[in-house]
Amino acid sequence: MTKVPSIPVDALNSIQDRNAYEVLRAIADILNVRNGQTGDAGSAFVTRAELGNLRGGGSTVVTLPGAQQSQSVTPPYIRPSDIARVINDLQAQVMESPLFKSLGERIDRVDAPGTGVIAQLDEERVTRANAVAALAQLINTLEATVGDQSVALQEEAEVRANADGQIMGRFSVKIDANGYVTGFGLISTANNDTPYSEFMVRADRFSIASPSGPGITPRVPFIVLTTPTTVNGYPVPAGVYMDAAMLRVASIQEAHIDFAAIRTAHIQDAAITNAKIGTAEVDTLKLAGQAVTIPASVYAPTFISHGSGTFVEATVSITSTGAPIAIIVSYGINGSDIVETWLERDGVRVWSKNFVGPGTPDYSFSQPAVCVALSEQPGAGVQTYSLVFRSTGATFGTFERAIVLLETKR
């Protein structure tokens, strides 16, 4: 697509005259929508010339990297984000074509007078030629009418040529059943050295089916529905239905796939928001550091007896990304005097609990299952957590010491 100049909207803010501002703002909006800078990709529009370039490769049609072709040529494809716009533009172009309009016009008939029951066949031949132009036309019309029920079939063939290099050939067949007009046609035109042809079917359903003959199983591999219908009680929307398709290159804006068997996939960039995978077999998996949440933990079950002093009984480190860290601390302890216990992160206490005995061995305390859960957000980097015990009096003992850290990522 040829780049169209854009006008920064902020540049218009200095205009004092309100009418001038409104006019220039409208022009800026048009150019920015044309460029795709305003709105989504479906808001941008293309010119008639660019639509014509779709056949030869415009900017909407790009090359597909890595696709191997027998001719060693990289094929063109349309970006998925442009598909809806291109389809709308092509549909508008088809609907404006002379062949589309001709196949939708009612058949002109000269009803024979009489009883209201008509069966007739008309043939019209036109030939015309002079020094600069030539025309040949043949129109056959069949009509059957009974009362207000009427159906007509018309076959038209026409060729034209003139000295200016313009030529045209057209063949069409259409049926008019009480005003319901359907048909097909082929047209080929050329203006000097630029030929263009078009084949069109205007019908509710178009299909390609197998021939009839010995040993041939009936197949209909390709069906096009142009209007919604109901099949066996189920609504079927308009669209293209294929029993089997082999595609060399496909550009798909949105896909709903129930089952896919893909032999080889080349994916340059994939963004998957949510995936549910029952079984995955991966030869090589590369993940950034702690891209997957993995807990860090330490566990020391052995009973250790201490006298007075400060003792670090368990230590564990985790590399944090800055998200909150869930912490679980558990241990068993017994003693007969004051024992301080705490959890610290790099020397800073984040939790503490003290035990107080009566001061004699006959009245010692025992806490076989101390368990606490907490959470904090220390910031990014390596964080080291330690479980510390301290006593200034009698002997105490600890056992089943554990620290579990889990960064709770989203």
Side-chain angles (χ1 to χ4, degrees), residues 61-87:
V61 180
V62 299
T63 58
L64 179 63
Q68 300 297 322
Q69 302 296 306
S70 58
Q71 299 87 355
S72 300
V73 177
T74 303
Y77 84 111
I78 298 174
R79 295 185 181 91
S81 60
D82 294 322
I83 291 177
R85 173 170 54 85
V86 172
I87 290 175

Side-chain angles (χ1 to χ4, degrees), residues 26 30 35 45 102 114 131 145 169 207 219 226 240 260 286 305 336 383:
I30 291 172
N35 286 333
F45 56 88
S102 173
T145 300
S207 62
R219 290 289 303 273
T226 61
V240 178
K286 296 181 180 180
S305 179
S336 59
Q383 312 295 336

Side-chain angles (χ1 to χ4, degrees), residues 80-81 116 201 259 284 301 311 326 387 403:
S81 60
V201 178
F259 175 80
T284 303
F311 308 94
L387 181 60
I403 305 173

Side-chain angles (χ1 to χ4, degrees), residues 121-399:
L121 186 154
D122 291 329
E123 181 178 284
E124 180 181 355
R125 298 172 181 264
V126 177
T127 58
R128 187 181 306 121
N130 54 38
V132 295
L135 163 70
Q137 186 180 55
L138 174 63
I139 302 175
N140 291 319
T141 304
L142 287 73
E143 179 185 357
T145 300
V146 176
D148 58 356
Q149 301 299 312
S150 177
V151 60
L153 182 148
Q154 188 173 83
E155 177 187 58
E156 182 176 357
E158 179 182 358
V159 290
R160 296 173 180 263
N162 62 35
D164 294 331
Q166 296 178 342
I167 59 175
M168 187 273 288
R170 182 179 69 173
F171 175 79
S172 64
V173 176
K174 61 182 178 181
I175 299 174
D176 182 344
N178 281 341
Y180 186 80
V181 184
T182 185
F184 68 90
L186 172 67
I187 188 172
S188 181
T189 61
N191 186 355
N192 295 318
D193 295 329
T194 308
Y196 184 74
S197 62
E198 186 174 14
F199 177 77
M200 186 178 301
V201 178
R202 295 199 66 175
D204 294 304
R205 182 167 66 192
F206 168 75
S207 62
I208 297 176
S210 61
S212 177
I216 298 178
T217 302
R219 290 289 303 273
V220 186
F222 183 85
I223 302 172
V224 179
L225 297 181
T226 61
T227 56
T229 187
T230 300
V231 179
N232 294 330
Y234 293 95
V236 180
V240 178
Y241 296 83
M242 291 180 284
D243 184 55
M246 278 61 71
L247 306 176
R248 184 183 295 274
V249 178
S251 181
I252 302 172
Q253 185 172 27
E254 182 178 355
H256 301 276
I257 302 174
D258 185 56
F259 175 80
I262 302 173
R263 180 172 299 176
T264 302
H266 300 280
I267 302 175
Q268 184 174 359
D269 186 12
I272 302 174
T273 303
N274 187 17
K276 297 179 177 63
I277 303 174
T279 301
E281 182 176 335
V282 182
D283 290 335
T284 303
L285 183 63
K286 296 181 180 180
L287 301 174
Q290 288 199 344
V292 178
T293 302
I294 301 175
S297 65
V298 63
Y299 174 61
T302 307
F303 180 87
I304 300 178
S305 179
H306 296 290
S308 62
T310 302
F311 308 94
V312 178
E313 294 292 328
T315 299
V316 64
S317 297
I318 188 171
T319 302
S320 171
T321 63
I325 296 178
I327 307 170
I328 299 175
V329 180
S330 65
Y331 57 90
I333 185 171
N334 58 35
S336 59
D337 207 336
I338 299 175
V339 179
E340 297 179 73
T341 68
W342 68 84
L343 180 73
E344 65 180 30
R345 173 182 40 80
D346 297 318
V348 178
R349 292 193 186 190
V350 295
W351 171 84
S352 64
K353 180 178 177 62
N354 294 339
F355 297 89
V356 181
T360 64
D362 296 335
Y363 296 96
S364 63
F365 64 84
S366 178
Q367 188 73 35
V370 177
C371 185
V372 63
L374 62 148
S375 177
E376 69 160 359
Q377 191 168 355
V382 178
Q383 312 295 336
T384 300
Y385 291 83
S386 301
L387 181 60
V388 185
F389 299 86
R390 181 168 65 187
S391 174
T392 57
T395 300
F396 72 96
T398 64
F399 53 95

